[in-house]
PDB file of all heavy atoms in Angstrom:
ATOM      1  N   SER A 292    -137.608 -48.348  64.773  1.00 86.00           N
ATOM      2  CA  SER A 292    -139.024 -48.000  64.894  1.00 86.00           C
ATOM      3  C   SER A 292    -139.498 -47.226  63.666  1.00 86.00           C
ATOM      4  O   SER A 292    -140.600 -47.464  63.159  1.00 86.00           O
ATOM      5  CB  SER A 292    -139.239 -47.177  66.163  1.00 86.00           C
ATOM      6  OG  SER A 292    -140.585 -46.769  66.274  1.00 86.00           O
ATOM      7  N   ALA A 307    -136.453 -53.844  54.947  1.00 89.00           N
ATOM      8  CA  ALA A 307    -135.865 -52.792  55.772  1.00 89.00           C
ATOM      9  C   ALA A 307    -134.674 -52.149  55.070  1.00 89.00           C
ATOM     10  O   ALA A 307    -134.458 -50.933  55.178  1.00 89.00           O
ATOM     11  CB  ALA A 307    -135.439 -53.369  57.117  1.00 89.00           C
ATOM     12  N   PRO A 325    -130.082 -34.510  64.265  1.00 95.00           N
ATOM     13  CA  PRO A 325    -128.892 -33.734  64.640  1.00 95.00           C
ATOM     14  C   PRO A 325    -129.065 -32.237  64.427  1.00 95.00           C
ATOM     15  O   PRO A 325    -128.517 -31.428  65.190  1.00 95.00           O
ATOM     16  CB  PRO A 325    -127.793 -34.305  63.747  1.00 95.00           C
ATOM     17  CG  PRO A 325    -128.500 -34.960  62.620  1.00 95.00           C
ATOM     18  CD  PRO A 325    -129.784 -35.472  63.193  1.00 95.00           C
ATOM     19  N   ALA A 326    -129.834 -31.863  63.399  1.00 95.00           N
ATOM     20  CA  ALA A 326    -130.089 -30.435  63.180  1.00 95.00           C
ATOM     21  C   ALA A 326    -130.866 -29.852  64.345  1.00 95.00           C
ATOM     22  O   ALA A 326    -130.572 -28.739  64.826  1.00 95.00           O
ATOM     23  CB  ALA A 326    -130.853 -30.236  61.870  1.00 95.00           C
ATOM     24  N   GLY A 333    -127.689 -24.113  70.695  1.00 91.00           N
ATOM     25  CA  GLY A 333    -127.115 -22.838  70.298  1.00 91.00           C
ATOM     26  C   GLY A 333    -126.289 -22.845  69.033  1.00 91.00           C
ATOM     27  O   GLY A 333    -125.750 -21.796  68.645  1.00 91.00           O
ATOM     28  N   ARG A 335    -126.814 -22.597  65.863  1.00 93.00           N
ATOM     29  CA  ARG A 335    -127.872 -22.283  64.913  1.00 93.00           C
ATOM     30  C   ARG A 335    -127.401 -22.384  63.453  1.00 93.00           C
ATOM     31  O   ARG A 335    -128.128 -22.877  62.595  1.00 93.00           O
ATOM     32  CB  ARG A 335    -128.429 -20.874  65.203  1.00 93.00           C
ATOM     33  CG  ARG A 335    -129.009 -20.740  66.620  1.00 93.00           C
ATOM     34  CD  ARG A 335    -130.231 -21.616  66.770  1.00 93.00           C
ATOM     35  NE  ARG A 335    -130.756 -21.660  68.124  1.00 93.00           N
ATOM     36  CZ  ARG A 335    -131.626 -20.802  68.644  1.00 93.00           C
ATOM     37  NH1 ARG A 335    -132.051 -19.779  67.903  1.00 93.00           N
ATOM     38  NH2 ARG A 335    -132.067 -20.936  69.868  1.00 93.00           N
ATOM     39  N   LEU A 344    -128.795 -29.049  53.851  1.00 94.00           N
ATOM     40  CA  LEU A 344    -128.270 -30.245  53.193  1.00 94.00           C
ATOM     41  C   LEU A 344    -129.363 -31.303  53.044  1.00 94.00           C
ATOM     42  O   LEU A 344    -129.476 -31.945  51.988  1.00 94.00           O
ATOM     43  CB  LEU A 344    -127.097 -30.802  54.002  1.00 94.00           C
ATOM     44  CG  LEU A 344    -126.408 -32.050  53.446  1.00 94.00           C
ATOM     45  CD1 LEU A 344    -125.762 -31.759  52.101  1.00 94.00           C
ATOM     46  CD2 LEU A 344    -125.362 -32.571  54.436  1.00 94.00           C
ATOM     47  N   ILE A 353    -137.413 -29.059  56.415  1.00 94.00           N
ATOM     48  CA  ILE A 353    -137.851 -29.069  57.808  1.00 94.00           C
ATOM     49  C   ILE A 353    -136.970 -28.089  58.576  1.00 94.00           C
ATOM     50  O   ILE A 353    -135.746 -28.239  58.615  1.00 94.00           O
ATOM     51  CB  ILE A 353    -137.742 -30.469  58.437  1.00 94.00           C
ATOM     52  CG1 ILE A 353    -138.484 -31.506  57.589  1.00 94.00           C
ATOM     53  CG2 ILE A 353    -138.287 -30.450  59.860  1.00 94.00           C
ATOM     54  CD1 ILE A 353    -138.320 -32.931  58.089  1.00 94.00           C
ATOM     55  N   ARG A 362    -141.941 -42.335  64.891  1.00 90.00           N
ATOM     56  CA  ARG A 362    -142.714 -43.061  63.884  1.00 90.00           C
ATOM     57  C   ARG A 362    -143.441 -42.123  62.928  1.00 90.00           C
ATOM     58  O   ARG A 362    -144.555 -42.402  62.468  1.00 90.00           O
ATOM     59  CB  ARG A 362    -143.713 -44.030  64.537  1.00 90.00           C
ATOM     60  CG  ARG A 362    -143.085 -45.026  65.479  1.00 90.00           C
ATOM     61  CD  ARG A 362    -144.104 -45.992  66.045  1.00 90.00           C
ATOM     62  NE  ARG A 362    -145.245 -45.292  66.620  1.00 90.00           N
ATOM     63  CZ  ARG A 362    -145.246 -44.721  67.814  1.00 90.00           C
ATOM     64  NH1 ARG A 362    -144.155 -44.763  68.559  1.00 90.00           N
ATOM     65  NH2 ARG A 362    -146.325 -44.103  68.263  1.00 90.00           N
ATOM     66  N   THR A 376    -141.993 -23.311  64.146  1.00 92.00           N
ATOM     67  CA  THR A 376    -142.697 -23.640  65.392  1.00 92.00           C
ATOM     68  C   THR A 376    -143.685 -24.790  65.226  1.00 92.00           C
ATOM     69  O   THR A 376    -144.526 -25.018  66.104  1.00 92.00           O
ATOM     70  CB  THR A 376    -143.442 -22.398  65.923  1.00 92.00           C
ATOM     71  OG1 THR A 376    -144.404 -21.963  64.951  1.00 92.00           O
ATOM     72  CG2 THR A 376    -142.476 -21.263  66.201  1.00 92.00           C
ATOM     73  N   ILE A 379    -144.997 -32.059  65.209  1.00 94.00           N
ATOM     74  CA  ILE A 379    -145.615 -33.230  64.591  1.00 94.00           C
ATOM     75  C   ILE A 379    -145.596 -34.363  65.603  1.00 94.00           C
ATOM     76  O   ILE A 379    -144.530 -34.770  66.069  1.00 94.00           O
ATOM     77  CB  ILE A 379    -144.869 -33.641  63.308  1.00 94.00           C
ATOM     78  CG1 ILE A 379    -144.843 -32.473  62.315  1.00 94.00           C
ATOM     79  CG2 ILE A 379    -145.527 -34.856  62.680  1.00 94.00           C
ATOM     80  CD1 ILE A 379    -144.037 -32.754  61.070  1.00 94.00           C
ATOM     81  N   GLY A 392    -147.409 -24.352  57.565  1.00 90.00           N
ATOM     82  CA  GLY A 392    -146.923 -22.980  57.496  1.00 90.00           C
ATOM     83  C   GLY A 392    -147.531 -22.073  58.548  1.00 90.00           C
ATOM     84  O   GLY A 392    -148.399 -22.461  59.326  1.00 90.00           O
ATOM     85  N   ARG A 402    -146.418 -19.757  65.356  1.00 90.00           N
ATOM     86  CA  ARG A 402    -146.927 -19.407  64.039  1.00 90.00           C
ATOM     87  C   ARG A 402    -147.370 -20.620  63.221  1.00 90.00           C
ATOM     88  O   ARG A 402    -148.072 -20.472  62.233  1.00 90.00           O
ATOM     89  CB  ARG A 402    -145.848 -18.645  63.241  1.00 90.00           C
ATOM     90  CG  ARG A 402    -145.250 -17.479  63.979  1.00 90.00           C
ATOM     91  CD  ARG A 402    -144.351 -16.635  63.082  1.00 90.00           C
ATOM     92  NE  ARG A 402    -143.399 -17.421  62.326  1.00 90.00           N
ATOM     93  CZ  ARG A 402    -142.211 -17.826  62.797  1.00 90.00           C
ATOM     94  NH1 ARG A 402    -141.873 -17.546  64.034  1.00 90.00           N
ATOM     95  NH2 ARG A 402    -141.393 -18.514  62.029  1.00 90.00           N
ATOM     96  N   LYS A 417    -152.436 -27.732  52.841  1.00 94.00           N
ATOM     97  CA  LYS A 417    -151.777 -26.601  53.498  1.00 94.00           C
ATOM     98  C   LYS A 417    -152.445 -26.398  54.853  1.00 94.00           C
ATOM     99  O   LYS A 417    -153.637 -26.101  54.930  1.00 94.00           O
ATOM    100  CB  LYS A 417    -151.901 -25.319  52.670  1.00 94.00           C
ATOM    101  CG  LYS A 417    -151.624 -25.505  51.170  1.00 94.00           C
ATOM    102  CD  LYS A 417    -150.229 -26.027  50.899  1.00 94.00           C
ATOM    103  CE  LYS A 417    -150.024 -26.268  49.399  1.00 94.00           C
ATOM    104  NZ  LYS A 417    -148.738 -26.939  49.105  1.00 94.00           N
ATOM    105  N   ALA A 434    -156.438 -29.775  50.729  1.00 89.00           N
ATOM    106  CA  ALA A 434    -157.226 -28.952  51.645  1.00 89.00           C
ATOM    107  C   ALA A 434    -156.381 -27.788  52.153  1.00 89.00           C
ATOM    108  O   ALA A 434    -155.161 -27.884  52.264  1.00 89.00           O
ATOM    109  CB  ALA A 434    -157.728 -29.789  52.821  1.00 89.00           C
ATOM    110  N   THR A 437    -157.189 -23.605  58.081  1.00 91.00           N
ATOM    111  CA  THR A 437    -156.792 -22.381  58.781  1.00 91.00           C
ATOM    112  C   THR A 437    -157.411 -22.284  60.166  1.00 91.00           C
ATOM    113  O   THR A 437    -157.348 -21.232  60.791  1.00 91.00           O
ATOM    114  CB  THR A 437    -157.209 -21.147  57.964  1.00 91.00           C
ATOM    115  OG1 THR A 437    -158.625 -21.182  57.724  1.00 91.00           O
ATOM    116  CG2 THR A 437    -156.470 -21.099  56.631  1.00 91.00           C
ATOM    117  N   ASN A 492    -184.188 -35.509  51.700  1.00 74.00           N
ATOM    118  CA  ASN A 492    -185.301 -34.695  52.198  1.00 74.00           C
ATOM    119  C   ASN A 492    -186.334 -34.434  51.104  1.00 74.00           C
ATOM    120  O   ASN A 492    -187.538 -34.489  51.345  1.00 74.00           O
ATOM    121  CB  ASN A 492    -184.768 -33.371  52.748  1.00 74.00           C
ATOM    122  CG  ASN A 492    -185.863 -32.500  53.314  1.00 74.00           C
ATOM    123  OD1 ASN A 492    -186.358 -31.585  52.649  1.00 74.00           O
ATOM    124  ND2 ASN A 492    -186.273 -32.784  54.544  1.00 74.00           N
ATOM    125  N   ARG A 517    -212.918 -42.059  59.905  1.00 60.00           N
ATOM    126  CA  ARG A 517    -212.699 -41.125  61.000  1.00 60.00           C
ATOM    127  C   ARG A 517    -211.255 -40.622  61.011  1.00 60.00           C
ATOM    128  O   ARG A 517    -210.998 -39.447  61.214  1.00 60.00           O
ATOM    129  CB  ARG A 517    -213.038 -41.811  62.318  1.00 60.00           C
ATOM    130  CG  ARG A 517    -212.881 -40.896  63.538  1.00 60.00           C
ATOM    131  CD  ARG A 517    -213.440 -41.548  64.759  1.00 60.00           C
ATOM    132  NE  ARG A 517    -214.885 -41.789  64.609  1.00 60.00           N
ATOM    133  CZ  ARG A 517    -215.635 -42.393  65.544  1.00 60.00           C
ATOM    134  NH1 ARG A 517    -215.074 -42.812  66.665  1.00 60.00           N
ATOM    135  NH2 ARG A 517    -216.921 -42.562  65.331  1.00 60.00           N
ATOM    136  N   PHE A 530    -186.593 -31.723  59.056  1.00 59.00           N
ATOM    137  CA  PHE A 530    -185.552 -31.197  58.171  1.00 59.00           C
ATOM    138  C   PHE A 530    -184.380 -30.692  59.007  1.00 59.00           C
ATOM    139  O   PHE A 530    -184.552 -29.826  59.875  1.00 59.00           O
ATOM    140  CB  PHE A 530    -186.114 -30.066  57.314  1.00 59.00           C
ATOM    141  CG  PHE A 530    -185.125 -29.521  56.307  1.00 59.00           C
ATOM    142  CD1 PHE A 530    -184.700 -30.301  55.254  1.00 59.00           C
ATOM    143  CD2 PHE A 530    -184.614 -28.243  56.438  1.00 59.00           C
ATOM    144  CE1 PHE A 530    -183.800 -29.816  54.322  1.00 59.00           C
ATOM    145  CE2 PHE A 530    -183.703 -27.749  55.513  1.00 59.00           C
ATOM    146  CZ  PHE A 530    -183.306 -28.536  54.449  1.00 59.00           C
TER     147      PHE A 530
END
Side-chain angles (χ1 to χ4, degrees):
S292 177
R335 300 294 174 87
L344 181 64
I353 306 175
R362 304 183 308 281
T376 60
I379 302 176
R402 309 189 311 276
K417 315 300 177 187
T437 57
N492 182 262
R517 182 171 298 178
F530 184 67

